Amino acid sequence: MNNSRIDFLREAAPYIHKHRGKIFVIAFAGEVIENEKFSQLIKDIAILSALGTQIVLVHGARPQVDRHLQALDHDIQVVDDMRVTDSVTLQTAKEAIGALRVEIENQLSHALSMPPVVNESLGVLSGNFITAQPLGIHNGTDFQHTGTVRKINAKLIKQLTAAGSIVLLSSLGFSPSGEAFNLRYEDVASFAAKSLQADKLIFIHADAATPTLDIDLQQLDSFIEANPEQSRLLNHIKAAMNDGVERVHLVSTETKDGLLLEIYTRDGIGTMFNASQYENIRQAKIEDVSGIIDVIEPLELKGALIKRSREQLELEIDKFSVIERDGKIIACAALYLIANTNMGELACLAVHPDYKGGERGDRLLKRISQEAMNRKLSQLLVLTTQSIDWFKERGFEPGEVEDLPDQKKALYNFQRKSKILLKELLIKT
Ligand SMILES: CC(C)(COP(=O)(O)OP(=O)(O)OC[C@H]1O[C@@H](n2cnc3c(N)ncnc32)[C@H](O)[C@@H]1OP(=O)(O)O)[C@@H](O)C(=O)NCCC(=O)NCCS
């Protein structure tokens, strides 16, 4: 086994531990089922399950239903991004969804019984977990058998996933009076994630990948504007976040091994949406200087950070990123470019002691790494006295004074004896 595989195992180990017993809702569009990479995706989902993550799958069926309707020469009616489900469309949806369900169950059962999984206690279950209600009449359009989710049997689903089963939900629901309704799979997924208090909601799509980024609720509108081809799904994600789903991930089938890389690597590979209503990570502004001082001063006094004057912070504010919570700065980090090198220095990474333990250091490290990669830098340097292991656990390797570029060597403070740590960055081509 070569080193990169061992490194992957080291990087993945804490995440395997962290995700064990957590509920993930993984939703994929009907297009994904038709994608040539679908069977690999199913195998990766089986691995996630075998590693102890509790999984609820939600599948779409839009292209399949459309194709059936076209074959019948029946009108496809969509109003305000919502299908109007007449009785022919409902019957078609039942048939298409039934066939897809069997196909997914078949592939998943096979994957769960084959190496490297081979776990007979795992299985896939689908059933009547969703109570639906009619969408009704809106602006004069009667949506007929199109419904919305009213309730999901979270208790039963939790019992099943806790016992190791994968639960498969489709975009059909039934009213208490026994009427069937056609639902949007995105709504089923969001509702399930919320009712189950899922740790993650992951949407898999078959379009081009969106950037590897961490997006806050506050940044979501500009992200939707910048990615118009994904606006439909992104608007669903926005609604889910506004509705209380904390973490949403977006992964493309176009990204090789995307699901496992997103879940088990520190930097991830897809786009992650963080729905804290109160916090946002952003570029620092001159008005943030006092807030940054409040965060870093106690750490300067402890010797964890070198002293920076207010004037210096004002001059260098454009190098800083901050996390703001309810108008207060609670964490910061800076990226310094080192002239004539492809190395950047991560400095002044600090989380206010009241807010430690919430992966904010990780979020800032990810943001600074991303910024460095955008600037085509290939190495990140950090000088630290008291957070050595924190960085080592995040892929930094010890370096020597000789590894520093000349201008940094000249400034190296031998009295402070900071540890020199370096991390290679993946350059995107
Ligand atoms: C490094 C730092 C930013 C991490 O803050 P954070 O994201 O809130 O970290 P958390 O509290 O969530 O800790 C995450 C994990 O790292 C560990 N950890 C936290 N600080 C650590 C440190 N200084 N050294 C080693 N491990 C540390 C925690 O124990 C925790 O481990 P666990 O997941 O096994 O429980 C924060 O400790 C800090 O502000 N340090 C002082 C400033 C500093 O030294 N900066 C680096 C120089 S630029």
Side-chain angles (χ1 to χ4, degrees), residues 351-367:
V351 176
H352 189 285
D354 291 353
Y355 296 94
K356 287 185 74 169
E359 297 180 8
R360 295 180 179 90
D362 279 316
R363 293 189 67 200
L364 280 162
L365 172 60
K366 190 169 172 184
R367 181 179 165 101

Side-chain angles (χ1 to χ4, degrees), residues 299 302 304-305 332 346-352 355-363 382-391 393-394:
L299 294 162
K302 258 180 63 185
L305 296 175
C332 63
L346 161 65
C348 212
L349 171 67
V351 176
H352 189 285
Y355 296 94
K356 287 185 74 169
E359 297 180 8
R360 295 180 179 90
D362 279 316
R363 293 189 67 200
V382 71
L383 297 170
T384 178
T385 52
Q386 297 177 16
S387 298
I388 301 154
D389 283 0
W390 191 90
F391 285 106
E393 284 165 19
R394 284 153 180 83

Side-chain angles (χ1 to χ4, degrees), residues 69-251:
L69 289 172
Q70 279 154 2
L72 292 173
D73 211 10
H74 190 79
D75 265 359
I76 298 170
Q77 273 191 77
V78 178
V79 178
D80 293 336
D81 194 32
M82 194 66 105
R83 193 193 283 281
V84 177
T85 309
D86 58 18
S87 48
V88 174
T89 306
L90 180 64
Q91 185 54 33
T92 305
K94 284 181 187 170
E95 286 167 15
I97 289 169
L100 286 174
R101 218 185 242 191
V102 171
E103 176 62 30
I104 298 165
E105 284 174 359
N106 187 1
Q107 289 207 30
L108 204 47
S109 307
H110 183 61
L112 289 169
S113 64
M114 295 291 286
V117 179
V118 199
N119 189 334
E120 276 151 24
S121 67
L122 303 172
V124 52
L125 293 169
S126 49
N128 180 16
F129 298 105
I130 305 169
T131 308
Q133 62 194 13
L135 179 65
I137 299 161
H138 291 262
N139 299 325
T141 303
D142 183 350
F143 285 87
Q144 304 177 52
H145 304 286
T146 298
T148 57
V149 184
R150 180 170 161 189
K151 215 163 56 190
I152 277 185
N153 192 338
K155 195 170 161 204
L156 180 56
I157 294 176
K158 278 186 178 175
Q159 279 169 3
L160 296 170
T161 57
S165 296
I166 294 177
V167 171
L168 175 63
L169 302 177
S170 303
S171 46
L172 276 179
F174 303 90
S175 71
S177 61
E179 236 185 301
F181 288 97
N182 186 19
L183 309 167
R184 292 195 294 198
Y185 86 95
E186 297 96 333
D187 295 337
V188 174
S190 308
F191 202 102
K194 197 173 166 217
S195 316
L196 296 163
Q197 292 154 313
D199 202 59
K200 289 182 190 301
L201 168 58
I202 302 166
F203 279 107
I204 315 252
H205 62 88
D207 303 328
T210 47
T212 305
L213 272 181
D214 247 18
I215 303 287
D216 277 320
L217 201 48
Q218 291 83 346
Q219 299 161 329
L220 191 49
D221 284 335
S222 44
F223 188 78
I224 295 175
E225 234 169 77
N227 294 279
E229 66 295 344
Q230 279 295 336
S231 64
R232 182 173 206 283
L233 191 47
L234 290 170
N235 277 309
H236 277 285
I237 290 176
K238 183 177 171 184
M241 287 163 76
N242 278 320
D243 212 22
V245 178
E246 277 280 320
R247 262 181 201 183
V248 188
H249 297 250
L250 191 54
V251 177

